[in-house]
Amino acid sequence: MVKLVFPKDFLWGTATASYQIEGAWNEDGKGESTWDRFSHTPGAIYQNQNGDVACDHYHRYEEDVKLMAEIGLKAYRFSISWPRIFPEGRGKINPKGVSFYERLINKLLEKNIKPAITLYHWDLPQALEDKGGWLNRDTAKYFSEYASFIFYKFGDMVPIWITLNEPFVNAFLGYAWGWHAPGKKDLKGAFVAGHNLLLAHGLAVQAYKEGGYNGNIGITINVAAVYPYTNSEEDLRAVQVQDAFENRWFIEPIFRKKYPEVIWKILEKNYLSFDFPISDFDIISSPIDFLGINYYTRNIVAHDESNKFLGLKRIEGPNERTEMGWEIYPDGLYDILIQLYRDYKIPIYITENGAAYNDKLENGKVEDNKRIEYLREHIKRAYFAIRDGVDLRGYFIWSLMDNFEWAHGYSKRFGIIYVDYDTQKRILKDSAYFYKKVIEENGIEE
């Protein structure tokens, strides 16, 4: 067996998000978030479940960090709950919220685990949503104030910063399609929200750079490699459109100071015109240190006249699917890494990659062989990308533990740690032991 050995300082980690694991939704002075409001709306979430308790990480973080150390994690990516710090989104600071993250960061550093902080993973303070949320340009300014405070508190303790997680999902699932908080259905609004999210990102990057901190700052974008159903000219154009819409819409303004032309033309054709100030793009394109990508699956697309907006449809691939219904396609990770590095020449982190399966706890164990296979194949593609010239710095599994999976509630398990939601007992799955070995050996057998 050939051993695929990763670079010496490669960061092996796992990822979580505040609303999905913390619980304590209204404790110790925390303000209401859009996800608190949305998940308390009847019919919004699977079986009307919510994140009120989630994994109770707010009270059990010490135990959770101990488990991270047992697995041997080099890094842990987590998000800060904005309304836990600023209950009203701005103004008055909640010291108990600040203290929680301070204790968590110190505990991670004690165990030699690098904290990687995401400033915003979708839980906007409801007080700001009441003023328009991401449809309100001022929210970008408030985000910058919040970010500046967090940098001031933790900038010297934390080496890796991510401004936003998946702005595409927040903008379109939250504001266009209504599947996520705040549950709005306004396509034009989604593009406005997306622009204001990018503006918030740029302002936070500027604040970080001006603060002279020692770490690195970037953004995390969800990506899917896109392939044509046939090699017809129409299907190849559909690939270009899908790639521009889902992958590039939030990347091009950062690196190229403009939105992808192909989507801009579609917007104009559909009488959706936007007059974003040109000076915004100077802020949005503030230089970042890395690009974070979340990869789970690919898209196969074909031309489709009946889709009046993008003019395409998605085709189901032939491979096995995860519990989310997502096709398993590891080669897509390699392909997208090669494409993004070729186009933007920037260090990359895989900030999420993983799979949901119907895990069963039997005799105190969880044998999740399918997840192990999924991780193994994707880690191999990450290695091949490095071998072929991509400056890939780290790999974070989604997720550290089973948690509240947004609109799916607790019906989907992504964790390498099993959570019994009735007792809050944590059990390392076989995939956690697999990952422990990968980390120890800094590599994997081909």
Side-chain angles (χ1 to χ4, degrees), residues 36-224:
D36 294 320
R37 178 73 61 89
F38 187 67
S39 69
H40 293 152
T41 305
I45 311 291
Y46 173 79
Q47 292 186 352
N48 290 320
Q49 294 169 346
N50 59 54
D52 291 3
V53 176
C55 307
D56 197 28
H57 175 74
Y58 186 78
H59 299 113
R60 298 169 187 265
Y61 72 93
E62 290 188 71
E63 176 193 351
D64 292 337
V65 174
K66 204 179 276 183
L67 289 170
M68 293 178 214
E70 196 181 317
I71 295 166
L73 296 185
K74 302 290 185 205
Y76 171 54
R77 176 185 171 224
F78 62 98
S79 77
I80 288 182
S81 166
W82 183 350
R84 205 180 281 291
I85 305 297
F86 289 97
E88 296 296 314
R90 59 189 305 233
K92 197 162 176 288
I93 291 156
N94 175 29
K96 286 186 175 174
V98 178
S99 166
F100 166 68
Y101 293 109
E102 191 163 22
R103 295 194 309 274
L104 172 59
I105 292 165
N106 280 325
K107 193 55 72 179
L108 290 165
L109 293 172
E110 205 180 281
K111 300 285 187 187
N112 291 321
I113 299 169
K114 281 191 171 135
I117 286 181
T118 305
L119 287 166
Y120 178 69
H121 201 128
W122 309 344
D123 45 355
L124 184 72
Q126 182 62 40
L128 295 185
E129 182 57 40
D130 293 342
K131 294 187 175 86
W134 289 110
L135 299 176
N136 180 355
R137 192 179 166 81
D138 287 344
T139 302
K141 186 180 71 180
Y142 304 147
F143 178 76
S144 168
E145 291 166 4
Y146 150 66
S148 297
F149 174 74
I150 298 296
F151 298 147
Y152 163 72
K153 290 300 292 182
F154 304 126
D156 295 329
M157 302 164 78
V158 175
I160 298 170
W161 293 89
I162 293 160
T163 54
L164 311 173
N165 179 75
E166 298 185 350
F168 176 93
V169 175
N170 193 197
F172 286 92
L173 273 64
Y175 287 86
W177 305 322
W179 305 335
H180 280 190
K184 290 185 161 57
K185 294 182 179 178
D186 171 10
L187 183 60
K188 184 168 185 176
F191 283 95
V192 171
H195 183 78
N196 290 333
L197 279 156
L198 279 174
L199 187 60
H201 154 79
L203 289 169
V205 170
Q206 287 185 346
Y208 186 77
K209 299 292 186 184
E210 283 161 14
Y213 303 104
N214 292 327
N216 291 323
I217 190 163
I219 188 170
T220 280
I221 306 288
N222 54 295
V223 294

Side-chain angles (χ1 to χ4, degrees), residues 8 15 29 34 44 72 88 122 188 211 238 256 287 294 318 371 382 384 423:
K8 189 167 70 75
T34 48
E88 296 296 314
W122 309 344
K188 184 168 185 176
R256 307 267 194 265
N294 294 349
R371 181 175 292 104
F384 296 146
T423 63

